[in-house]
Amino acid sequence: MKIKEKWSLPNLKEAARRTRSAVERVDQFYIPANALDLGEGKTYAISTYGCQANERDSETIAGILETIGFRPADDLEHVDLIIINTCAIRQNAEEKVLGEIGNFKRLYRNNKNLVIGVCGCMAQEDAFVHLVLEKYPQVRLLFGTHNIQDLPVMLYDVMVNHEKVVQVYSKEGEVYENLPVKRFGQHKAWVNIMYGCDKFCTYCIVPYTRGKQRSRTMDEILKEVQELKDAGYKEVTLLGQNVNAYGKDLDEGIDFATLLEETAKIGIPRIRFMTSHPWDFTNEMVDVIAQYDNIMPFIHLPVQSGDDEILRRMGRRYSAESYLKLYQKIMDTIPNAAVSTDIIVGFPNESDEAFEHTLELVRQCQFDNAFTFIYSPRPGTPAARMEDDIDMDTKRERLYRLNEEWNRHALKKNKAYVGKTVMVLVDGASKNNQNVFAGHTDTNKLVNFTGTNVRAGDFVEVLITDAKTFSLDGKAVEL
């Protein structure tokens, strides 16, 4: 089989451009007639890396594939299409993706009709695309974050026209509505409220891979939430790279506090949101969260560092003092509030003193959870060009100390739940024991508990009997 090639390669310089042009909004999803039955009798598998935005993209990819006839594969040995949806935040994610692509080489060797596709944020990076093209010939389809809606056309070119397709667009992006979706969860759902980011933190690749900040209209978001409530969903998570900047690009004068309140009025039992940037977190947001019982009192609020000079070089636009002030406002205003965070250690030229400032901030905030990382340079970002004279042993030692510190506070906070009864939304039963279930509290605590007549999607009162650093144990309160 002779494979032709169709290229549209990424360009980070173009991806960084921001203009005042209006965001294009596309309400119709069109499938060409020749692709309508492309997947009939064929199966697909999707492997997803990264954040909730990637999970939500995979739901759209699955929805499109099933619209044109594909069905989920029972096993990879006989699959017709594999799509790897990637995340570009850290280097180890790239290594995992490349390892998985390498593992699929055997499948391709046994079935030359197998289509292996790579999409998502990594596909927006030119170095990654060139590496895949050079080293991994089994990959016949590469596309980015801006053209998921074109998947039927791209697959037709690969499967029927026998082309190797690379379609990656480096642009500000559009807003597409009414794309097919296959929800992976039956009780919890992701709802995109915006795409892209304009913050350009110096270490972050997302503004380049996801395009400029562009909000969906509030009417479309509320319509989706209402449909999910009508379908029996118990929880929605409003998604965006920086949700509390929602509406800044709209003309209607709507902000995230307004959207949160209108979402709460729909009456779906639980509402969450991710992710927040401290710079845009307003007092109005805090007040709305405190006012509505169905807006969960759990906030993920990345701080990244507790040192002002590091924060300045990260481009974070706030100080440790202003972060602490916001944190205290949240804790004082929202009953039973829980806060998690992200922290990077070993940012270029982070001094011992700077790291101690981060430890001190953790002591003051006593976070319920923290996602901690050694700084990973992303090619094309300003931080990747900064001099860095900190050796890896020092970075690992700092990460160890940081984890010890926040783990201690998280365990203390979890132990305060022992003896209390909490409401848990059940995710499901353990594979090993049908009488052990898992779910989350309103504060996003993972609870493993025993009980009878419990089903996924139930709200169950659970008495907490034991606490660990990352979870709680308990037993259902029998009525």
Side-chain angles (χ1 to χ4, degrees):
M1 177 177 63
K2 185 176 183 344
I3 296 179
K4 297 174 282 186
E5 297 178 349
K6 179 181 282 189
W7 306 121
S8 176
L9 298 172
N11 183 311
L12 282 184
K13 185 176 180 180
E14 284 296 313
R17 290 181 68 242
R18 295 293 185 268
T19 69
R20 295 182 179 273
S21 59
V23 173
E24 182 183 358
R25 299 180 185 277
V26 183
D27 294 328
Q28 299 296 321
F29 175 60
Y30 172 73
I31 302 174
N34 59 8
L36 280 172
D37 301 319
L38 190 62
E40 286 297 329
K42 294 181 172 60
T43 60
Y44 75 92
I46 301 174
S47 179
T48 307
Y49 292 83
C51 66
Q52 293 85 359
N54 276 29
E55 291 282 350
R56 182 62 188 81
D57 284 348
S58 289
E59 290 183 334
T60 298
I61 291 169
I64 292 173
L65 291 176
E66 296 198 11
T67 299
I68 59 175
F70 283 92
R71 291 294 172 260
D74 293 326
D75 64 80
L76 292 181
E77 293 299 321
H78 304 97
V79 72
D80 299 288
L81 169 64
I82 298 172
I83 291 183
I84 306 169
N85 189 4
T86 64
C87 170
I89 295 296
R90 290 176 183 85
Q91 182 64 36
N92 64 345
E94 182 173 312
E95 292 165 359
K96 289 179 181 178
V97 167
L98 293 174
E100 187 167 33
I101 295 172
N103 290 337
F104 291 150
K105 187 174 184 179
R106 177 186 61 82
L107 299 176
Y108 180 65
R109 193 163 50 235
N110 295 334
N111 176 15
K112 292 299 183 181
N113 289 319
L114 171 63
V115 176
I116 300 174
V118 178
C119 67
C121 290
M122 280 185 199
Q124 295 288 149
E125 295 184 284
D126 50 0
F128 175 80
V129 169
H130 283 97
L131 176 62
V132 171
L133 292 175
E134 181 183 351
K135 302 288 188 181
Y136 300 89
Q138 64 269 36
V139 175
R140 297 165 56 196
L141 172 63
L142 276 153
F143 62 101
T145 60
H146 294 298
N147 57 332
I148 292 173
Q149 69 283 346
D150 297 328
L151 186 54
V153 175
M154 292 185 288
L155 283 174
Y156 185 87
D157 286 338
V158 174
M159 296 169 63
V160 178
N161 294 335
H162 306 300
E163 296 177 344
K164 175 176 278 194
V165 175
V166 183
Q167 292 285 353
V168 183
Y169 302 123
S170 300
K171 59 180 182 177
E172 293 177 308
E174 303 85 14
V175 172
Y176 287 88
E177 300 288 356
N178 302 313
L179 295 178
V181 58
K182 179 185 179 181
R183 300 283 180 182
F184 295 154
Q186 294 181 313
H187 314 290
K188 298 179 179 180
W190 313 112
V191 176
N192 286 323
I193 68 169
M194 60 193 300
Y195 306 94
C197 182
D198 290 341
K199 281 292 184 284
F200 285 97
C201 298
T202 60
Y203 56 83
C204 186
I205 196 70
V206 168
Y208 306 87
T209 62
R210 289 275 175 181
K212 79 173 181 180
Q213 178 180 300
R214 50 205 194 278
S215 303
R216 296 177 66 195
T217 64
M218 188 165 72
D219 286 347
E220 289 288 350
I221 296 166
L222 297 180
K223 174 186 171 185
E224 183 175 346
V225 174
Q226 183 67 58
E227 289 172 350
L228 289 165
K229 178 177 181 288
D230 293 343
Y233 281 81
K234 307 293 180 63
E235 177 179 302
V236 296
T237 301
L238 307 180
L239 290 181
Q241 301 301 327
N242 174 18
V243 289
N244 36 356
Y246 171 80
K248 288 189 172 184
D249 54 312
L250 297 176
D251 297 330
E252 291 90 338
I254 296 169
D255 60 10
F256 186 55
T258 305
L259 175 64
L260 258 184
E261 184 164 24
E262 293 305 311
T263 305
K265 289 177 181 177
I266 290 174
I268 201 160
R270 285 188 171 185
I271 299 164
R272 302 187 188 275
F273 56 90
M274 295 190 79
T275 291
S276 291
H277 191 298
W279 173 258
D280 294 312
F281 211 111
T282 64
N283 289 334
E284 290 77 12
M285 279 181 59
V286 177
D287 292 339
V288 167
I289 297 166
Q291 182 180 351
Y292 288 89
D293 291 339
N294 61 340
I295 302 177
M296 297 299 94
F298 168 77
I299 295 165
H300 186 61
L301 194 66
V303 66
Q304 306 301 3
S305 174
D307 181 77
D308 287 348
E309 174 58 21
I310 295 294
L311 289 171
R312 184 191 67 78
R313 289 196 285 120
M314 286 179 167
R316 292 293 286 174
R317 309 186 193 191
Y318 55 82
S319 64
E321 181 182 0
S322 65
Y323 182 95
L324 288 168
K325 184 178 179 181
L326 171 60
Y327 175 87
Q328 201 56 53
K329 167 76 174 177
I330 290 168
M331 300 305 291
D332 290 343
T333 307
I334 302 171
N336 193 37
V339 177
S340 65
T341 197
D342 293 342
I343 301 174
I344 298 170
V345 301
F347 191 77
N349 293 310
E350 178 190 60
S351 65
D352 289 339
E353 182 182 18
F355 175 67
E356 290 298 331
H357 290 160
T358 295
L359 288 181
E360 180 56 34
L361 184 141
V362 171
R363 293 185 191 105
Q364 292 183 64
C365 292
Q366 300 184 21
F367 295 107
D368 289 77
N369 198 1
F371 300 89
T372 58
F373 312 93
I374 292 174
Y375 167 69
S376 178
R378 305 314 298 149
T381 61
R385 299 190 293 271
M386 295 179 183
E387 274 191 46
D388 183 11
D389 59 2
I390 310 171
D391 63 85
M392 186 53 68
D393 286 343
T394 299
K395 294 181 181 185
R396 291 193 184 101
E397 188 266 342
R398 287 177 182 173
L399 183 67
Y400 177 81
R401 289 180 59 199
L402 174 63
N403 286 338
E404 274 200 324
E405 186 67 46
W406 82 257
N407 284 355
R408 183 164 58 86
H409 298 299
L411 179 58
K412 179 182 176 182
K413 287 205 168 184
N414 280 356
K415 283 184 174 180
Y417 281 80
V418 175
K420 294 181 178 180
T421 299
V422 296
M423 187 64 73
V424 173
L425 176 55
V426 181
D427 293 323
S430 166
K431 293 179 181 178
N432 299 321
N433 186 338
Q434 290 300 301
N435 289 320
V436 176
F437 302 87
H440 289 80
T441 67
D442 57 350
T443 52
N444 211 36
K445 302 287 185 182
L446 173 63
V447 181
N448 298 299
F449 67 98
T450 57
T452 56
N453 300 317
V454 176
R455 299 170 303 174
D458 286 347
F459 283 103
V460 177
E461 286 191 330
V462 177
L463 174 67
I464 302 303
T465 57
D466 194 14
K468 303 180 177 66
T469 303
F470 304 105
S471 65
L472 304 171
D473 293 337
K475 57 183 179 181
V477 177
E478 303 293 345
L479 301 178

